[in-house]
Structures are given as structure tokens and as C-alpha cells.
Amino acid sequence: MSRLQVVSGKGGTGKTTVAAALALALATKGKRTLLVEVEGRQGIAQLFETETLPYEERKIAVAPGGGEVYALAIDPELALLDYLQMFYKLGGAGRALKKLGAIDFATTIAPGLRDVLLTGKACEAVRRKDKQGRYAYDYVVMDAPPTGRITRFLNVNDEVAGLARMGPIHNQAQAVMRVIKSPQTEVHLVTLLEEMPVQETLDGVAELRAAQLPVGRIMVNMVRPALLGEPALALTRSPSVAPEVTGALTAAGLSGAKRLVGPLLAQAEEYAERYVLERAQRELLTGAELPLHELPLLTEGLDLAGLYTLAEELRQQGI
């Protein structure tokens, strides 16, 4: 697995959940993983049932085998202050700019600047080493913007490097792109087995490839369990199925079998239609020629225990 794992997906597909489960899965056997949030929604804190994440790296979970998951919610304003201090040594002047509102003004009027700061902070965590020369984190997992914005978000440093031909901004942008466009990075897309998310996923794969960004895997989330096999599904379309089901229910000793048959067959027909749709969407995703992982729908809702269940599913699938 690459050291920077970027997770994107259409809104409503559960990309934050998948990013969190991936971070837990990668932290197995003593690994250290940093889970980075860039959209300011504090979704990671909610999933791990912890307090609001500050602009600092904080341990939020222990994975099976003793690994650790840290999390960071990147604040663009504070990231810009870090940047100014790193390259221009502004010190107190930087704090004065924030007090005057100049930092907020800069990050608001230039959304591209925000993306540069967000990606730059994540890539800094990927490159960071301790005094012994070991990487601070084995993996960095980024809960990234949705599929419709992911290519522009990741490619913004390329644009900035082209605009700023020299100096620290140019060098920083190039350093970030060296990480993002290298084998150190994989971009995963989260989807559901539904037409709109699948089409947006396939469009996202095409855009990422056109931009020469490293596409990783497709994560199919909230997959419903298979209740009926192909033979049973074929029976739902048989004209003789109603009398057969009525006879079976009567033989089982159920009173009012005739009243039960209609609703039961209606549910079976609805399931069969959904099954055919999901199978078609799965075939479309297979055509992208990327590794495909499926995570089950947790019928009792998602809590911290459910998050560990999803992480185990990913481990079982070779993540």
C-alpha cells in the first residue's frame, strides 16, 4: 500500500466512514496512521466518538495488534500561518495578520490557495521523519473532497507551480506534486451500487487518469446482503410461484396463507429488481479495471464497534 491514501466519493456514499475504516485497517500490527480531515466537518471526531479535533495531531484510536490512529483536522488559516512562518519567518507579524483578518481574507478569496495549504499539510506529514530517520507515520489517510472536485483539488499545486516560476511557493508546490503524482499516493473512490454514484465514480476515474493522478481502488460501501440466489430469483418470475408458495405456507401450518402470498411476492419482486440493478452497476465498476472492495451495510447503524467491523472487512480483503 502507498503511504498517502486519498479517499474521495460522491456525497452520501460514506467516504468519511471508509477513510476512517481504512485508517484503522492500515494501523494493524503496530503501524501508525494519521487520518486527515480537510473539509472542516468534524466527521472523524463523530465517528470515533471523541471531542472536536483541534489543529494538531491527536491519538484517537488503537487498532488490533497495538497500532495507533492519529487524526488531524486541517484549518486553512492556521496552515497559512505555518506556511508564512516556515518560508518567511514572520513570527508575531503572522499573528497580527490573523488578528486583522488578513489570513481569513486570503484563504476565502483564493480557494486554490486553500487547496494548496490542505494538500501541502498532508504531504508534509507523509515526508516527515523523526531524529532516527524513520517516518513519523507509516500511512497518511486523507478524507478528501467529493469526486466532482477531487482532480482539481489534488492538481492545484501543479497550477500554482506553473504560475509561480521560482521562489518558496514554486518549490513547495513542486514538492507536493512529487508526492501526489508518485507511487507514494493512491486515490480511492467510494461509491454505492446505484446509478448516479457509479457514473460519478467512473467519471472520476477517467478525470484522475487524464490528469495522471494515481488511481487506487474502488470501495463499494453499504452493500446489502444477498438474501436470494439465482434459482430463487428465477422462481419469482414464474407464473406458478403463487400457488406453490401458498401450498408451502399452508403445509407449514400458517393460517391465512393466501393473504400472505401477495405481500411476500411483492417484496421478492422488489428485491429481484434491486438485485439486477446492483449486478449491472457492479459490472460497470469492474470495467474500470481497478481493485474492487465491498463493505457491508450495517443494519443496526454505524457506531465505533461498527467502524472496527468495517476495518476488519478491509483487512480480510487484503488492504
Side-chain angles (χ1 to χ4, degrees):
M1 294 289 288
S2 300
R3 297 192 58 252
L4 176 57
Q5 304 280 312
V6 180
V7 180
S8 181
K10 179 176 170 59
T13 59
K15 70 177 179 65
T16 299
T17 299
V18 173
L22 179 60
L24 272 172
L26 292 173
T28 306
K29 297 180 181 178
K31 302 294 185 182
R32 283 166 55 94
T33 301
L34 176 65
L35 181 55
V36 177
E37 183 174 75
V38 300
E39 294 186 281
R41 295 184 294 106
Q42 290 292 333
I44 291 171
Q46 294 174 34
L47 284 170
F48 284 93
E49 300 174 6
T50 187
E51 59 189 23
T52 300
L53 295 175
Y55 180 59
E56 62 183 31
E57 293 156 24
R58 171 185 293 175
K59 187 167 78 171
I60 58 170
V62 176
E68 297 175 329
V69 177
Y70 288 73
L72 168 67
I74 302 178
D75 183 310
E77 294 180 41
L78 296 177
L80 181 53
L81 282 175
D82 282 351
Y83 179 88
L84 293 173
Q85 175 60 25
M86 185 184 306
F87 292 111
Y88 298 103
K89 310 299 181 187
L90 289 187
R95 292 189 292 274
L97 286 173
K98 178 174 174 58
K99 192 171 183 180
L100 291 170
I103 301 297
D104 180 53
F105 178 74
T107 55
T108 300
I109 65 168
L113 175 59
R114 293 174 61 92
D115 291 350
V116 167
L117 296 167
L118 296 171
T119 53
K121 188 68 177 177
C123 289
E124 182 276 325
V126 172
R127 297 190 303 263
R128 190 191 315 154
K129 294 183 178 181
D130 61 20
K131 293 180 179 178
Q132 286 72 43
R134 298 171 299 193
Y135 284 115
Y137 295 102
D138 297 288
Y139 301 100
V140 175
V141 179
M142 180 194 292
D143 178 21
T147 314
R149 204 166 76 80
I150 186 64
T151 301
R152 178 69 185 272
F153 173 77
L154 294 175
N155 224 24
V156 69
N157 286 277
D158 237 1
E159 299 177 16
V160 170
L163 292 172
R165 298 292 182 181
M166 61 185 66
I169 295 177
H170 174 82
N171 295 337
Q172 167 73 359
Q174 282 202 321
V176 170
M177 290 314 299
R178 278 196 295 272
V179 172
I180 290 178
K181 287 194 172 182
S182 77
Q184 292 187 76
T185 300
E186 289 179 87
V187 184
H188 310 303
L189 297 179
V190 181
T191 186
L192 307 178
L193 288 176
E194 298 174 4
E195 291 182 13
M196 288 185 63
V198 166
Q199 187 57 55
E200 188 164 317
T201 297
L202 295 175
D203 292 344
V205 169
E207 289 179 7
L208 288 165
R209 284 172 169 167
Q212 298 182 325
L213 291 165
V215 189
R217 302 156 189 256
I218 295 176
M219 310 284 198
V220 184
N221 196 23
M222 293 186 270
V223 176
R224 297 178 179 88
L227 302 177
L228 299 175
E230 292 283 355
L233 289 171
L235 282 175
T236 63
R237 296 185 287 273
S238 170
S240 64
V241 69
E244 291 179 12
V245 173
T246 302
L249 293 175
T250 302
L254 291 175
S255 60
K258 289 184 179 180
R259 294 196 307 273
L260 295 173
V261 169
L264 282 173
L265 291 181
Q267 287 187 9
E269 184 177 351
E270 179 183 336
Y271 174 83
E273 291 176 357
R274 189 176 72 233
Y275 178 89
V276 170
L277 172 64
E278 290 180 348
R279 182 175 61 186
Q281 299 308 309
R282 189 180 280 109
E283 289 174 356
L284 288 173
L285 292 171
T286 302
E289 299 181 343
L290 292 169
L292 198 66
H293 299 271
E294 297 193 6
L295 292 171
L297 174 67
L298 301 178
T299 55
E300 296 183 2
L302 180 67
D303 56 11
L304 189 55
L307 198 58
Y308 275 84
T309 298
L310 295 179
E312 179 59 27
E313 284 284 342
L314 288 174
R315 279 193 292 270
Q316 293 293 330
Q317 294 178 39
I319 291 292

